[in-house]
Amino acid sequence: MPQAVNAYLQTNNLQQVDNIKREILALYDDDFRKIDSQGRASRLFQSIPWQLTSNARRYQLKTALEGRAPDNVDTIIADMEDSMVVNISYHSSDPNVGMGLTRNPSNYKMYLLDTGLFVTLSFWDKAYTENIIYSKLLSDKLEANLGYIYENLVAQMLCAAGNELYYYTFPTDSNKHNYEVDFLLSRGSKLVPIEVKSSGYKSHKSIDIFCEKFSSRVGERYLFYTKDYARDGITVCLPVYMAGLV
């Protein structure tokens, strides 16, 4: 956001930047109430950070709206997407090239279009986000689950590069948990699975199992993390800032 960048250049104070971002989010909230006067669009938007941290297979509408989802919720979400404040990632029921053919419109995840605003929204319970939090966040020393921030960042960069967002979940052998491929891209006649990590950890079991399951459909496979370029077997490990280049 230009206003946030200007605030940093003028003050070199991330707390001042955060104040600007909170003003922007307040304007968003006003716009959401024009979309839906009952405040449901606003609650859906405010719920995005904790929806992602819950590790659910999809966005939980009833939880966000504290009850039964309204009949027109699809229209509300479409209006939010058209307003260019959120990115939607849809679950593919049978991942292959042409994923639009297997898109499940009822299973999706929502991300903020701007990750800087996402960080501020994540700390909305505070009157402002202090410099110390930003310092720890930038140095990867904040005692919080940062995976969802990097995941939102990758979603933002993939969309900015012109990609539609899809993901895929499938059960483990025990059926007690699920594997999840964070993002799926289509390149030529092949799929490109992507996993996102918030640290230098190079484990990528989900895409390993996915590539075994759909071996004939998979081309390159990527892990985005906070370290430099590397190869771990046939998995390409790239720093997060390169996500828009794949």
Side-chain angles (χ1 to χ4, degrees):
M1 292 294 177
Q3 303 98 313
V5 174
N6 286 335
Y8 182 74
L9 293 175
Q10 292 169 7
T11 67
N12 195 33
N13 187 321
L14 289 170
Q15 184 175 313
Q16 295 301 317
V17 175
D18 191 75
N19 291 337
I20 296 295
K21 291 192 291 177
R22 286 173 183 267
E23 291 175 5
I24 294 170
L25 287 169
L27 292 174
Y28 279 11
D29 190 67
D30 290 340
D31 289 339
F32 289 140
R33 295 189 183 275
K34 295 174 184 176
I35 291 174
D36 178 70
S37 60
Q38 298 182 46
R40 292 168 296 188
S42 179
R43 290 199 295 275
L44 291 172
F45 182 79
Q46 292 275 350
S47 298
I48 290 175
W50 65 260
Q51 288 273 350
L52 291 176
T53 60
S54 69
N55 291 319
R57 295 176 59 187
R58 60 185 176 86
Y59 191 99
Q60 303 290 326
L61 285 170
K62 293 181 180 180
T63 303
L65 297 176
E66 300 176 352
R68 189 174 65 87
D71 294 335
N72 66 334
V73 69
D74 291 342
T75 301
I76 294 173
I77 292 173
D79 287 341
M80 292 172 65
E81 189 173 18
D82 288 343
S83 66
M84 300 185 69
V85 295
V86 298
N87 290 318
I88 308 293
S89 179
Y90 289 96
H91 189 272
S92 174
S93 58
D94 182 22
N96 206 334
V97 290
M99 282 181 287
L101 298 172
T102 61
R103 183 174 76 177
N104 187 333
S106 299
N107 287 3
Y108 53 83
K109 294 188 176 185
M110 274 199 286
Y111 301 92
L112 262 69
L113 191 73
D114 184 281
T115 302
L117 295 180
F118 183 92
V119 172
T120 296
L121 191 62
S122 298
F123 294 97
W124 197 252
D125 59 307
K126 304 168 69 67
Y128 56 87
T129 308
E130 300 94 333
N131 274 307
I132 186 63
I133 290 181
Y134 278 108
S135 297
K136 288 186 176 182
L137 177 63
L138 292 171
S139 62
D140 202 16
K141 295 179 180 179
L142 186 64
E143 294 182 1
N145 178 9
L146 301 184
Y148 61 95
I149 297 177
Y150 286 100
E151 191 175 323
N152 194 92
L153 182 60
V154 170
Q156 179 182 345
M157 288 190 284
L158 291 177
C159 285
N163 298 286
E164 293 186 354
L165 299 181
Y166 291 91
Y167 71 102
Y168 183 67
T169 62
F170 56 106
T172 61
D173 291 338
S174 65
N175 285 316
K176 293 182 178 179
H177 303 284
N178 287 295
Y179 295 116
E180 180 171 312
V181 177
D182 295 321
F183 300 104
L184 284 170
L185 304 180
S186 178
R187 293 291 184 266
S189 61
K190 297 293 183 179
L191 290 173
V192 176
I194 291 173
E195 193 163 344
V196 181
K197 297 291 185 183
S198 62
S199 67
Y201 190 52
K202 294 195 298 184
S203 173
H204 40 76
K205 189 171 184 179
S206 289
I207 54 175
D208 289 343
I209 302 299
F210 176 86
C211 291
E212 291 177 11
K213 182 178 177 70
F214 299 105
S215 58
S216 64
R217 307 180 187 182
V218 175
E220 286 279 24
R221 60 209 69 181
Y222 294 101
L223 172 77
F224 288 104
Y225 67 154
T226 59
K227 300 296 182 180
D228 294 330
Y229 166 83
R231 275 191 174 269
D232 188 16
I234 57 178
T235 299
V236 181
C237 303
L238 295 173
V240 170
Y241 65 78
M242 294 186 68
L245 303 178
V246 299

